[in-house]
Amino acid sequence: MDRATDEVLDAVGPRLRALRRDRGITLADLAATTGVSESTLSRLESGQRRATLELLLPLARIYDVPLDDLVGAPRTGDPRIHLKPISRFGMTFVPLSRRPGGVHAFKMIIPGRPEPLEPTPQTHEGFEWLYVLNGRLRLVIGERDLTLPPGEAAEFDTSLPHWLGSADGAAVELLILFGLQGVRAHVRSGPHP
């Protein structure tokens, strides 16, 4: 390996130790949640063991940070964010956040159609918060059938049967925050006492 690579790898251990201590996690607790032995974690933090992808991936998940942050990867110099849209169920989702775990942010685009679609409610684990940017969103949650114009927001448990679509056949754009079960958005409208 070259000298620059050695310097990057040498800095991983102290960075991992600082993250663990900042979060108040013991080596025993970390070993129990990652499945990596306590002695391996200790050697990794002290620099006696080289970091591997197999060791860093579960740590990035537990610490809820991108892998690049664990290894101190240098920034590329290009400040642009290259978003890769995902197409599902005839809609486009543009990821706005990239960290593993926690709450994820998306811009969602529901294309216009000559005739609005009939709802086909689905369920999955999680909790969703949404905000309508443009168009009129039809939101079906269980027995409730709502129409949200631009500027309105909603939140719901995604284990309830739900469906999102256009209320009038025109395109709809919205922002979505999606998190694991029990993670909710907190909105404050004024100074906190």
Side-chain angles (χ1 to χ4, degrees):
M1 281 189 226
D2 64 6
R3 189 170 152 202
T5 302
D6 284 338
E7 287 174 8
V8 167
L9 290 174
D10 288 344
V12 170
R15 191 174 291 110
L16 291 173
R17 178 177 288 129
L19 273 169
R20 182 178 56 78
R21 289 181 175 164
D22 286 348
R23 285 165 171 76
I25 301 172
T26 66
L27 278 173
D29 291 339
L30 190 59
T33 55
T34 61
V36 177
S37 76
E38 200 172 329
S39 64
T40 298
L41 292 169
S42 177
R43 291 194 326 268
L44 188 60
E45 287 184 0
S46 68
Q48 296 172 358
R49 171 134 188 197
R50 286 285 190 197
T52 64
L53 195 56
E54 182 180 44
L55 293 172
L56 293 177
L57 284 173
L59 294 173
R61 255 184 251 112
I62 294 298
Y63 293 140
D64 197 20
V65 297
L67 194 56
D68 285 356
D69 288 357
L70 289 184
V71 297
R75 300 289 177 211
T76 61
D78 183 351
R80 294 175 294 173
I81 298 172
H82 302 282
L83 305 172
K84 293 183 180 164
I86 303 163
S87 292
R88 285 199 181 127
F89 313 112
M91 298 176 273
T92 302
F93 298 83
V94 181
L96 302 176
S97 59
R98 300 185 315 169
R99 68 187 184 115
V103 176
H104 296 273
F106 297 90
K107 179 177 182 183
M108 181 176 165
I109 303 161
I110 302 171
R113 299 182 183 280
E115 294 291 322
L117 294 174
E118 280 301 309
T120 53
Q122 304 290 320
T123 63
H124 53 88
E125 289 296 314
F127 200 85
E128 199 163 292
W129 181 90
L130 57 86
Y131 178 84
V132 180
L133 295 168
N134 292 305
R136 293 171 42 83
L137 176 71
R138 182 175 178 197
L139 174 62
V140 177
I141 303 171
E143 299 298 317
R144 300 192 72 185
D145 194 334
L146 307 165
T147 298
L148 284 71
E152 283 201 358
E155 64 179 339
F156 57 94
D157 183 334
T158 58
S159 66
L160 298 171
H162 63 282
W163 179 85
L164 291 83
S166 173
D168 54 15
V172 182
E173 293 180 59
L174 56 149
L175 294 177
I176 293 180
L177 296 179
F178 175 77
L180 301 175
Q181 201 64 30
V183 177
R184 296 181 70 162
H186 298 280
V187 179
R188 292 201 171 96
S189 59
H192 192 60

